[in-house]
Amino acid sequence: MTQWINHADLSNANSLGLKVTAERLIEVNQLTELVEALNEVEAKQWPLLILGGGSNLVLQPSLPGAVIRIAAAGVHLLADDNENAIVEVGAGENWHQFVCHLLTLGLHGLENLALIPGTVGAAPVQNIGAYGVEVSDCLHSVIAYDRQEKTVVQLMAEECQLSYRNSLFKSIEPGRYVIWRVRFRLSTCFAPKLHYGALQEYLDAQGQSSPTPVQLVAAVCAVRRSKLPDPDQLGNAGSFFENPRVSAEQYIALKQAFTDLVAYPEPDGKYKLAAGWLIDQAGWKGQRKGNVGVYDKQALVLVNYAEGSFEALLELAEEIRASVYSRFGVSLEMEPRIYPPL
């Protein structure tokens, strides 16, 4: 029998720290609990939000229907041939703690993704990435409950259709799959990726041109902390806007007009622009409007200082988007998901 919590306060369950109340909430630790809860949601036709760490969401003040919080735990080594290993992780595990745990297992590939907030189950949805590494680089497969077929399925990495901050779960078939466990293919050989500018600069300053895994994770954490606020101290959802992609022609035109434009070539010939640079150049870095604002160390991050509202945050985001478009002719898209959708 499902035990729902009515009128649940989710103010501490979203990293922006917005005041949020869910009509009903349940936390599930077992797959049978998840299936039972989903069956009731379907029978009563409730709107549904699957909640992990609440780190990539902008929640409206009142959430109708049901919220299911995934708490599946455990880290298991499924295979190890002395070169590569497959690790299965519960979707409810804390992402950063999982990355750190891999150090104790001598397994590598995810070091650059340390300190990213949220849960393991949310990582493939967003295809989280940082400092030159994405989840797609190491994803083996996902164990999920298919709400359409009403069965547990294993989706291999290629079936998850991961791309830049996107996946099957986010925009192609949203709501169909509930991720329960995630499998990663990791290496027993440490081959660090150090080409990302800020990370390389930090390691050089520390005299660590060939860092150990522990040193690399420490460096990633230090660089992140220097640029991004701790959600426990200052409400935020991490990067609020995606880095926009433009054609080579548009990039050339922008580069001629703005010689210090920050951009990265993509394999398909397009260019990825640094959204933070665009927002900074538009004059928003460090700006505050009431109880919300733009972080003074990273223009890509919108923050909730205290008692900031959903409406105020979206109003600020729209002003930033309009300002950047007016100056550069580039459209910014929000990275976190708004729920319920507008």
Side-chain angles (χ1 to χ4, degrees), residues 79-153:
D80 185 353
D81 63 5
N82 294 322
E83 291 185 3
N84 297 286
I86 297 175
V87 174
E88 183 179 279
V89 196
E93 290 283 353
N94 176 275
W95 175 262
H96 174 64
Q97 291 176 9
F98 165 60
V99 172
C100 292
H101 182 62
L102 291 176
L103 296 178
T104 68
L105 299 178
L107 299 177
H108 310 293
L110 297 176
E111 288 87 353
N112 293 38
L113 304 186
L115 209 62
I116 293 179
T119 58
V120 169
V125 176
Q126 186 70 8
N127 187 22
I128 60 173
Y131 308 124
V133 174
E134 293 181 326
V135 157
S136 56
D137 297 331
C138 295
L139 184 69
H140 173 273
S141 59
V142 164
I143 309 299
Y145 183 75
D146 183 341
R147 297 178 63 197
Q148 180 174 302
E149 299 297 330
K150 298 189 181 304
T151 187
V152 176
V153 296

Side-chain angles (χ1 to χ4, degrees), residues 92-337:
E93 290 283 353
N94 176 275
W95 175 262
H96 174 64
Q97 291 176 9
F98 165 60
V99 172
C100 292
H101 182 62
L102 291 176
L103 296 178
T104 68
L105 299 178
L107 299 177
H108 310 293
L110 297 176
E111 288 87 353
N112 293 38
L113 304 186
L115 209 62
I116 293 179
T119 58
V120 169
V125 176
Q126 186 70 8
N127 187 22
I128 60 173
Y131 308 124
V133 174
E134 293 181 326
V135 157
S136 56
D137 297 331
C138 295
L139 184 69
H140 173 273
S141 59
V142 164
I143 309 299
Y145 183 75
D146 183 341
R147 297 178 63 197
Q148 180 174 302
E149 299 297 330
K150 298 189 181 304
T151 187
V152 176
V153 296
Q154 180 178 7
L155 299 172
M156 302 307 292
E158 57 273 16
E159 296 177 276
C160 297
Q161 300 184 54
L162 271 58
S163 59
Y164 175 66
R165 302 298 178 269
N166 206 353
S167 68
L168 169 74
F169 314 107
K170 182 178 178 181
S171 64
I172 301 170
E173 292 195 79
R176 175 174 175 176
Y177 300 99
V178 179
I179 296 175
W180 189 248
R181 307 191 72 80
V182 184
R183 294 178 177 177
F184 295 93
R185 179 180 286 108
L186 303 164
S187 176
T188 57
C189 301
F190 181 52
K193 294 185 178 180
L194 308 176
H195 57 275
Y196 190 89
L199 183 59
Q200 185 65 68
E201 290 171 10
Y202 179 87
L203 289 166
D204 289 345
Q206 300 296 311
Q208 298 171 346
S209 57
S210 299
T212 66
V214 171
Q215 288 173 334
L216 177 54
V217 167
V220 168
C221 291
V223 173
R224 285 189 69 86
R225 289 189 178 108
S226 72
K227 296 177 179 293
L228 303 171
D230 182 345
D232 292 333
Q233 304 298 321
L234 185 60
N236 73 93
S239 299
F240 203 85
F241 298 99
E242 296 179 358
N243 290 324
R245 299 173 74 246
V246 299
S247 66
E249 293 76 15
Q250 188 174 3
Y251 162 73
I252 291 170
L254 284 168
K255 188 67 174 177
Q256 289 175 343
F258 306 95
T259 56
D260 54 348
L261 177 74
V262 179
Y264 309 93
E266 298 276 84
D268 62 0
K270 292 188 175 183
Y271 283 78
K272 185 187 295 181
L273 307 183
W277 184 90
L278 298 173
I279 297 167
D280 190 2
Q281 294 300 305
W284 285 101
K285 191 173 184 179
Q287 293 297 312
R288 178 170 179 167
K289 298 197 69 176
N291 290 325
V292 298
V294 181
Y295 192 47
D296 59 2
K297 295 181 181 178
Q298 172 53 269
L300 199 53
V301 178
L302 303 193
V303 296
N304 174 14
Y305 289 103
E307 305 297 322
S309 69
F310 170 86
E311 293 79 9
L313 190 72
L314 258 61
E315 183 178 324
L316 173 62
E318 279 305 309
E319 288 189 39
I320 292 170
R321 292 180 75 244
S323 175
V324 167
Y325 187 81
S326 175
R327 183 172 174 81
F328 299 102
V330 174
S331 297
L332 295 180
E333 298 296 333
M334 279 182 53
E335 186 167 319
R337 177 165 65 107

Side-chain angles (χ1 to χ4, degrees), residues 66-78:
V67 175
I68 298 178
R69 193 166 191 178
I70 305 297
V75 179
H76 306 287
L77 183 64
L78 300 185

Side-chain angles (χ1 to χ4, degrees), residues 10-20 25 48-61 63 66-70 117-119 122 125-126 128 169-170 231 235-240 302 304 309-310 313-314 334-341:
L10 297 183
S11 302
N12 293 322
N14 71 98
S15 63
L16 270 164
L18 298 174
K19 286 191 173 182
V20 179
L25 166 74
L48 173 64
L49 171 66
I50 300 296
L51 185 64
S55 60
N56 201 49
L57 286 169
V58 181
L59 298 178
Q60 297 203 45
L63 308 186
V67 175
I68 298 178
R69 193 166 191 178
I70 305 297
T119 58
V125 176
Q126 186 70 8
I128 60 173
F169 314 107
K170 182 178 178 181
N236 73 93
S239 299
F240 203 85
L302 303 193
N304 174 14
S309 69
F310 170 86
L313 190 72
L314 258 61
M334 279 182 53
E335 186 167 319
R337 177 165 65 107
I338 296 174
Y339 186 85

